[in-house]
Amino acid sequence: MKFFVDTADIDQIKELLAYGMVDGVTTNPSIIAKSGLDILEVTKEICSIVDGPVSAEVVALDHETMLAEGLKLAKIADNIAVKVPLTWAGLQTCKVLSDQGIMVNVTLCFSANQALLAAKAGATFISPFIGRLDDINLDGLELIDDIRTIYDNYGFETQILAASIRNANHMSECAKIGADVCTAPPNVIKAMANHVLTDNGLAGFMADIKKAGIKIL
Ligand code: G3P
């Protein structure tokens, strides 16, 4: 499973790159707004340090403007994935951009039917939002499972990019289901390393190292 980092924070991306934990980056208008940076400039900088796909989202609602925005975003770098919302205008834009060989990430997916439409429109990635479904007492992971079944039934090549990941458990559950990619905030990726028994075990080893005076260097 590929790890994308859901942030526009350059320092955090660089930190995770050093651990081999960054196969790509995703942003959205809320992430860009939070960064306080210019969308074109920050996206260009991210593309210069990350080899994998970098998702940058259009801001228009109509197809013509979305397409113009998508083409402008795609010019930033070869690894741009243009992110469009799962609306009819977004699907139309997805089809046109995909036909031109541009990667497209269809976002704000909350149902299996929406994911089926995105695959038909040639999406490179479909982004189902797990956490926001959980927020309204629906089952986000069940949606990932349903999409996996549908895509496998028909051999769709659209990659399932599980998004709105809120905790480390979401990551391992998505990996068990077979999501192609998970995009998560840096703190969630870091939390995957945590286990109380690792902490306790290390404390025990350290006590014995001190008692026995064990040295390697
Ligand atoms: O990739 C989409 C993601 O950023 C949404 O996450 O936590 O705002 O639902 P969240």
Side-chain angles (χ1 to χ4, degrees), residues 46-128:
I46 295 169
C47 287
S48 74
I49 58 170
V50 173
D51 291 334
V54 174
S55 290
E57 190 160 342
V58 299
V59 295
L61 293 176
D62 66 287
H63 166 62
E64 284 74 19
T65 320
M66 260 190 215
L67 182 58
E69 290 175 351
L71 290 169
K72 184 168 181 178
L73 290 169
K75 282 203 181 85
I76 294 174
D78 288 342
N79 55 334
I80 284 286
V82 176
K83 211 168 172 186
V84 299
L86 212 152
T87 59
W88 280 110
L91 290 169
Q92 190 179 6
T93 307
C94 174
K95 169 73 177 145
V96 176
L97 292 172
S98 298
D99 283 350
Q100 294 185 31
I102 294 170
M103 287 190 286
V104 182
N105 176 356
V106 180
T107 189
L108 290 168
C109 171
F110 295 96
S111 76
N113 272 331
Q114 290 180 320
L116 186 50
L117 291 173
K120 297 288 288 180
T124 315
F125 302 104
I126 181 68
S127 290

Side-chain angles (χ1 to χ4, degrees), residues 6 26 28 31 83 107 127 129 131-132 135 163-166 183:
D6 203 23
T26 51
N28 62 36
I31 287 172
K83 211 168 172 186
T107 189
S127 290
F129 277 30
R132 293 193 195 183
D135 286 346
S164 188
I165 298 266
R166 301 283 176 75
T183 189

Side-chain angles (χ1 to χ4, degrees), residues 7-9 25-44 46 54-57 59 73:
T7 187
D9 186 320
V25 169
T26 51
T27 63
N28 62 36
S30 302
I31 287 172
I32 296 293
K34 190 174 156 203
S35 77
L37 301 168
D38 175 78
I39 181 170
L40 299 176
E41 282 171 21
V42 72
T43 304
K44 191 173 176 183
I46 295 169
V54 174
S55 290
E57 190 160 342
V59 295
L73 290 169

Side-chain angles (χ1 to χ4, degrees), residues 107-115 126-147 160-167 170 174:
T107 189
L108 290 168
C109 171
F110 295 96
S111 76
N113 272 331
Q114 290 180 320
I126 181 68
S127 290
F129 277 30
I130 297 177
R132 293 193 195 183
L133 282 168
D134 291 353
D135 286 346
I136 58 164
N137 295 318
L138 293 174
D139 189 341
L141 290 167
E142 188 177 282
L143 175 60
I144 303 297
D145 203 17
D146 287 346
I147 299 171
I160 302 173
L161 196 174
S164 188
I165 298 266
R166 301 283 176 75
N167 54 59
H170 279 156
C174 281

